[in-house]
Amino acid sequence: MSENKAEARRRGVGTECVQGGWTPRNGEPRVLPIIQSTTFKYETSEQMARLFDLEESGYFYTRLQNPTNDAVAAKIAALEGGVAAMLTSSGQAANFFAVINIAGAGDHVVCSSAIYGGTFNLFGVTMKRFGIDVTFVDPDATEAELEAAFRPETKALFGETLSNPGMNVLDIEKFARVAHAHGVPLIVDNTFATPVNCRPFEWGADIVTHSTTKYMDGHATAVGGAIVDSGNFDWEAHADKFPGLTTPDESYHGLTYTKAFGKGAYITKATAQLMRDLGSIQSPMNAFLLNLGLETLHLRMRQHVANAQAVAEWLEANPDVAWVNYPGLPANKYHALAQKYMPQGTCGVIAFGLKGSRDDAQKFMDNLKLAAIVTHVADARTCVLHPASHTHRQLSDQQLREAGVAPDLIRLSVGIEDADDIINDLDQAMKTALGK
Ligand code: PLP
C-alpha cells in the first residue's frame, strides 16, 4: 500500500477516486471483481501454516482479509495519503477498532464532545464498561484545557473533522500538537469532509476513520467503515505506552508488530488480531458497492458543497429561521477554520433551527416532499432528521444542550439534486408548518 501513497502524490484526487486500488493486469477484469469467497485454496499445508503465522502474505479467510476489500482499502489509503487501510463492517466498528487497537482496560482516551451520538455512546458507555475511561472535552477547548484532560494512562485523542450533527470544525493542528506533546496519536473521524475536502494527515492527524456508509458510498446502499494509518506515529518512541504494538504478541508466536511490519504495524495488528478475534469485516459485496461510490466521490462532493452553500445562504436570509450552522457562511464561527482545513468547502450537511417549537420543527419535516425523513445523512438524496425527536429523543432539552445538540436543531443533509428544487421544497414546508 505504500506504493499507493506514492501514486496519490503523483495523481489527483479525482484520478485516485476513479482508478485507485484496482489496477488490472493483462486480461483481467476492468472493473474491480467481487471475490465472494470465504476461503482460499493452497497446494501445501506448510504454506497455509506460514500464512497463519504472518510469515508470508496471502489470503486465507475473508474474516481477516479479502482481495476486493483490500483493493478498496488501498484506494482509501491513497486518497487519505496514508500507508495502509482496512475496511470494517461499519463506521462504529472502525472507531471502536481504531481505539482498542492501542488501548485496553485501565487506559484512558481524550475525546471531543462534539461527535456523532453513536460514537459518544460507544466511548462514554460501552468502552467504559470495558475499562477504558474517556474524558470528553469541549471541541473549542484551548490547548491548556486539552492538556488538563490528559493522564499518564491516556492512549489517544479523538475528534471529528466536521462534527455530526453540530457541524463544528476540528482544529486538527491544535489537537495534533497536544496529542503529540503527550506521546499519543490523534485519531480523526473524517466521515463528513471525506479526503476530497480534507486530508487530516496533512495537518498532523495520525489515524483517520470513516463511516463509509456516508459520502464515500454516497447512495445509501452499504453500511461500512474504514481505518487508515498515516504511518507517521512513532510507536517505538513511546514503546511503554503501546506494548501491544512494540512487544511480542504471544498469539502470533512472539511476533512484534513494529519490528515485523514497520509502518504497517498498526493496520496489521488491527487486521490480524482484532479481525481475527472480533470479526467485523466488511462484506466483499459491500466493498464493491463502496468502490462504485468512491468512483464519483470527487464529483459528488463538489455538488454537495455548492448546493449546501446555496441552501445555507437561503436559510440565513429567511426570517423564519432562528439560526444556521454551516461553516461555508462567512458569519459562521468556524468559517476561518473551515477555510484553512477545507478550502474547497466542507460537505452537504447543515444544522439549523426554525423560529418556533419542537412541534413546528416536526411539522416542517412532515411537510417536506423532496427531502425525506431518514436516519441517514450524507448521501445523494436530500434528507432530514430532527435529533431531539429521533436519534436523541430520550434526552431532555437540558441534556441535549450538554450533548451539543440544540432541541430545535434540524439536520439537513443537502443532496445533489438541483439546488432550486431543494430550496423550493424547504420553502413550501416552512410556510405550511408555520401557517403562512
Ligand atoms: N462517524 C460519524 C461521523 C457518523 O456520522 C457515523 C454515523 O452516522 C458513524 C461514525 C457510525 O457509522 P456507521 O453508521 O457506519 O456505523
Side-chain angles (χ1 to χ4, degrees):
M1 280 175 206
S2 39
E3 268 175 34
N4 273 287
K5 188 179 180 193
E7 276 182 23
R9 289 210 186 95
R10 283 200 307 273
R11 311 201 297 193
V13 163
T15 307
E16 209 57 57
C17 280
V18 179
Q19 300 233 1
W22 170 245
T23 310
R25 287 177 302 231
N26 196 36
E28 286 188 337
R30 181 65 193 95
V31 176
L32 172 67
I34 311 172
I35 308 296
Q36 194 69 44
S37 180
T38 59
T39 193
F40 301 83
K41 173 193 172 260
Y42 288 93
E43 300 291 338
T44 67
S45 69
E46 198 210 330
Q47 191 180 8
M48 181 76 91
R50 283 202 301 275
L51 293 171
F52 265 94
D53 285 353
L54 301 184
E55 284 168 2
E56 209 175 283
S57 67
Y59 298 98
F60 52 100
Y61 192 54
T62 286
R63 168 151 46 77
L64 285 97
Q65 274 185 293
N66 172 283
T68 307
N69 290 24
D70 278 4
V72 182
K75 175 180 284 193
I76 295 173
L79 282 169
E80 287 287 4
V83 293
M86 66 193 280
L87 301 188
T88 57
S89 56
S90 67
Q92 286 299 99
N95 283 330
F96 181 49
F97 277 23
V99 171
I100 63 160
N101 203 30
I102 48 172
D107 289 337
H108 173 250
V109 172
V110 181
C111 182
S112 162
S113 62
I115 53 171
Y116 166 59
T119 316
F120 195 84
N121 201 66
L122 167 68
F123 285 16
V125 179
T126 301
M127 279 198 330
K128 278 193 178 168
R129 284 200 196 115
F130 284 24
I132 301 171
D133 204 9
V134 178
T135 300
F136 291 105
V137 289
D138 189 301
D140 304 324
T142 63
E143 249 168 272
E145 285 163 346
L146 281 177
E147 303 259 351
F150 276 75
R151 302 179 194 161
E153 66 275 20
T154 303
K155 296 295 166 75
L157 179 59
F158 185 98
E160 287 176 5
T161 315
L162 292 166
S163 71
N164 177 7
M167 290 299 286
N168 306 55
V169 178
L170 188 76
D171 191 340
I172 304 172
E173 276 194 313
K174 177 171 74 180
F175 271 60
R177 228 177 3 254
V178 175
H180 297 159
H182 288 82
V184 305
L186 172 63
I187 305 175
V188 172
D189 182 330
N190 197 31
T191 296
F192 272 15
T194 83
V196 171
N197 284 339
C198 182
R199 305 220 303 176
F201 295 156
E202 290 171 0
W203 303 100
D206 303 286
I207 309 290
V208 156
T209 59
H210 283 279
S211 165
T212 61
T213 321
K214 308 293 160 8
Y215 287 118
M216 282 193 167
D217 167 56
H219 302 80
T221 56
V223 173
I227 309 174
V228 193
D229 183 9
S230 65
N232 294 334
F233 193 82
D234 189 349
W235 308 104
E236 293 274 3
H238 308 282
D240 54 324
K241 274 188 187 286
F242 304 105
L245 283 158
T246 59
T247 60
D249 177 359
E250 293 316 325
S251 70
Y252 271 113
H253 314 290
L255 172 149
T256 299
Y257 292 99
T258 44
K259 291 203 169 53
F261 302 105
K263 285 184 182 292
Y266 176 90
I267 292 293
T268 305
K269 176 175 179 286
T271 302
Q273 209 183 58
L274 300 183
M275 279 300 178
R276 178 196 63 190
D277 295 350
L278 301 172
S280 302
I281 197 79
Q282 191 167 126
S283 76
M285 179 72 205
N286 277 10
F288 172 82
L289 291 170
L290 168 58
N291 188 55
L292 284 185
L294 285 168
E295 288 184 3
T296 56
L297 181 67
H298 56 305
L299 302 177
R300 288 185 287 106
M301 289 312 289
R302 216 179 285 162
Q303 195 61 33
H304 281 295
V305 165
N307 281 0
Q309 186 68 30
V311 171
E313 285 170 13
W314 180 84
L315 287 168
E316 191 181 41
N318 190 316
D320 294 326
V321 173
W323 58 273
V324 187
N325 196 4
Y326 186 67
L329 295 173
N332 186 267
K333 179 180 171 187
Y334 294 105
H335 187 67
L337 272 187
Q339 292 277 296
K340 173 178 169 180
Y341 294 118
M342 288 159 269
Q344 297 173 82
T346 52
C347 69
V349 182
I350 300 172
F352 74 98
L354 284 181
K355 284 182 187 155
S357 60
R358 264 194 197 207
D359 275 359
D360 291 328
Q362 273 176 329
K363 265 190 242 151
F364 158 71
M365 289 174 49
D366 290 349
N367 280 292
L368 288 166
K369 294 189 167 72
L370 189 75
I373 302 171
V374 294
T375 309
H376 196 243
V377 63
D379 82 66
R381 290 158 287 253
T382 297
C383 60
V384 71
L385 188 90
H386 182 220
S389 316
H390 306 139
T391 48
H392 295 63
R393 64 177 291 116
Q394 73 279 16
L395 305 187
S396 66
D397 284 8
Q398 175 60 23
Q399 285 171 320
L400 282 171
R401 272 189 205 94
E402 280 165 17
V405 180
D408 61 344
L409 186 153
I410 294 169
R411 186 185 70 187
L412 177 67
S413 176
V414 178
I416 56 174
E417 305 93 341
D418 290 306
D420 284 351
D421 291 332
I422 301 168
I423 290 171
N424 285 338
D425 190 33
L426 299 175
D427 191 35
Q428 65 78 22
M430 238 176 247
K431 286 187 174 131
T432 312
L434 302 175
K436 297 203 167 174

